[in-house]
DNA sequence: TGTACATCAGTGAACGCGCGTTCACTGATGTAC
DNA sequence: TGTACATCAGTGAACGCGCGTTCACTGATGTAC
């Protein structure tokens, strides 16, 4: 008895049969692909339809507009963050802490590598004030920020982290750092900072902030 | 004898007289204002012209297209980063280090508050692969990243920072963190993290990463 | 297993709108004498 | 100081294009008996 998935409906409220669901999927995949290759500024309904080899009219059977398709992609990407988030709930004490931090960063960067274009677009829309995108973003990232803040708070109670730090702010800062590094790591690689060096540096920093840096 | 400023020319190479320079300025200001109020996705030549109370034809006397105007704004914002960058070159040793870190973060956030929309748009274009925007971004941020990396390297030589850290990567990480926090701080404030708490937390983190955390 | 019918899914073609862009022109400003 | 002329700056109006969106229709699929 799994959770009953919230069923996906057409904009007019009709249910989708098998074939329709496949078409919807192809439209979403094409949207993601175009976001990668040409960016949001060039994203057009007509283009998405063309990519799938269908008519623009088909698009409107599944989405009210382009935003709605992108939002659906952002939701999907959001669900996958769980595979990254579970590292946060791992062991942070002692030497294992570094291993956990490293896995978290590596996972986060892989996650971004897969969903780069969608996440970037989601973040833009969120920054430009679209409530729906803001909400997915906060909800998704809180899967990491919240438990991470808990760890910081715990370390603080254990006297390992100075009181000047606000746990939630520190967690948000770490996520901010990871997001930005994940988004721009090609830039650094082009400037001669190899990915392993970057991961290692971030590992030490996060470990330090979350646990105070002790490994014994 | 000041530096001879690189003169701004019209797209066709003509020089600009006084009146023309004023018009160009008004067009740029309108572009920035529209970026704030409606975002890149809604930014149109016609709209900019309308805002200034002029005809679209006028716009083309100064810019080849909208991108070129936004790029000019990004350049301008880039020049102003110097007021933030000078903090990085300040005193990091001893108790003064915390003061320096705090000033840096505060300055960085103010800088973003002023140029929010332009910087966001610059970063989007950079991420989507536009070389010109990439270049301004890297050049601008290096005014902070480079000297900051130097400080980290120095601390490392002094044995205050562990060797596992790559100075440039650490500096980039700190800038990444600041950029992201500056971009999204309203979000945190909405979630109950007051700005001073955020600044203080970032201060401690940056100070720790750059100096190893010693204050004596 | 076959057939008739109901529903689902996809589409061709068209409309209108708004935008980017240009050109030939007018008006404003500067300057030489 | 005044005038004539050269250059600079701004614009009205128009064109064409590509996109968003819709509608009436066709074709595909599922199902009842």
């Amino acid at each position: 008895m799994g959770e009953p998935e919230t069923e996906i409906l057409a904009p007019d409220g009709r249910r989708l049969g098998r074939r329709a669901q496949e078409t919807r999927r192809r439209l979403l995949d094409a949207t993601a692909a175009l976001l990668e290759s040409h960016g949001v500024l060039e994203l057009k309904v007509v283009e998405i339809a063309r990519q799938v080899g269908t008519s623009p009219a088909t698009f409107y059977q599944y989405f009210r507009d382009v935003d709605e398709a992108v939002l659906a992609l952002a939701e999907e990407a959001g669900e996958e963050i769980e595979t990254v988030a579970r590292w946060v709930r791992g062991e942070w004490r002692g030497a294992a802490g570094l291993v956990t931090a490293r896995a978290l960063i590596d996972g986060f960067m892989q996650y971004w590598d897969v969903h780069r274009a969608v996440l970037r677009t989601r973040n833009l829309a969120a920054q430009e004030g679209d409530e729906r995108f803001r909400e997915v973003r906060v909800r998704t990232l809180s899967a990491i920020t919240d438990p991470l803040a808990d760890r910081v708070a715990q370390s603080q109670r254990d006297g390992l982290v100075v009181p000047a730090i606000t746990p939630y702010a520190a967690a948000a800062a770490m996520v901010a750092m990871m997001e930005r590094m994940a988004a721009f790591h090609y830039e650094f690689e082009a400037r001669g900072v190899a990915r392993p060096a970057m991961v290692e540096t971030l590992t030490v920093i996060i470990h330090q902030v979350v646990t105070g840096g002790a490994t014994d």
Side-chain angles (χ1 to χ4, degrees), chain A:
Chain A
M1 272 194 292
E3 290 290 303
E5 292 240 1
T6 12
E7 201 182 0
I8 292 160
L9 301 175
D12 61 7
R14 281 194 303 100
R15 293 184 161 182
L16 301 183
R18 186 181 46 77
R19 187 159 68 120
Q21 290 195 19
E22 281 167 20
T23 304
R24 196 184 110 102
R25 177 99 309 268
R26 291 212 312 279
L27 287 166
L28 283 176
D29 292 344
T31 305
L34 286 168
L35 232 35
E36 300 268 4
S37 58
H38 295 86
V40 227
L41 302 170
E42 313 288 321
L43 191 61
K44 323 273 169 180
V45 172
V46 186
E47 202 53 50
I48 297 170
R50 204 172 354 243
Q51 187 90 350
V52 173
T54 184
S55 116
T58 302
F59 181 91
Y60 289 97
Q61 289 211 316
Y62 302 98
F63 309 102
R64 236 176 288 275
D65 51 34
V66 196
D67 275 20
E68 205 174 287
V70 177
L71 188 62
L73 286 168
E75 289 280 2
E76 290 186 356
E79 285 162 20
E80 284 179 41
I81 206 164
E82 180 47 30
T83 60
V84 182
R86 66 168 210 277
W87 292 111
V88 184
R89 299 191 301 268
E91 183 59 80
W92 285 88
R93 285 168 303 177
L98 279 170
V99 177
T100 300
R102 197 173 293 118
L104 170 61
I105 286 152
D106 217 62
F108 199 92
M109 288 182 67
Q110 277 174 39
Y111 175 71
W112 257 80
D113 281 345
V114 174
H115 298 292
R116 177 168 309 284
V118 169
L119 296 177
R120 174 208 298 154
T121 309
R122 174 200 73 186
N123 284 353
L124 174 75
Q127 282 180 95
E128 290 197 338
D130 188 308
E131 261 318 314
R132 299 166 304 168
F133 284 91
R134 243 167 146 130
E135 193 272 331
V136 212
R137 179 172 185 275
V138 170
R139 177 155 43 83
T140 301
L141 288 181
S142 70
I144 292 185
T145 316
D146 291 349
L148 200 57
D150 290 344
R151 303 289 146 153
V152 177
Q154 183 58 53
S155 300
Q156 211 169 36
R157 264 174 304 206
D158 295 347
L160 300 168
V161 164
V162 295
I165 276 185
T166 303
Y168 187 80
M174 292 302 97
V175 171
M177 180 178 81
M178 285 193 285
E179 237 198 349
R180 211 70 191 141
M181 294 299 276
F184 278 103
H185 72 87
Y186 292 120
E187 208 72 63
F188 303 124
E189 283 161 21
R191 300 198 90 203
V193 183
R195 181 163 171 154
M198 228 165 64
V199 171
E200 210 43 39
T201 299
L202 294 186
T203 298
V204 175
I205 294 173
I206 291 203
H207 180 254
Q208 166 73 41
V209 169
V210 175
T211 70
T215 51
D216 47 62

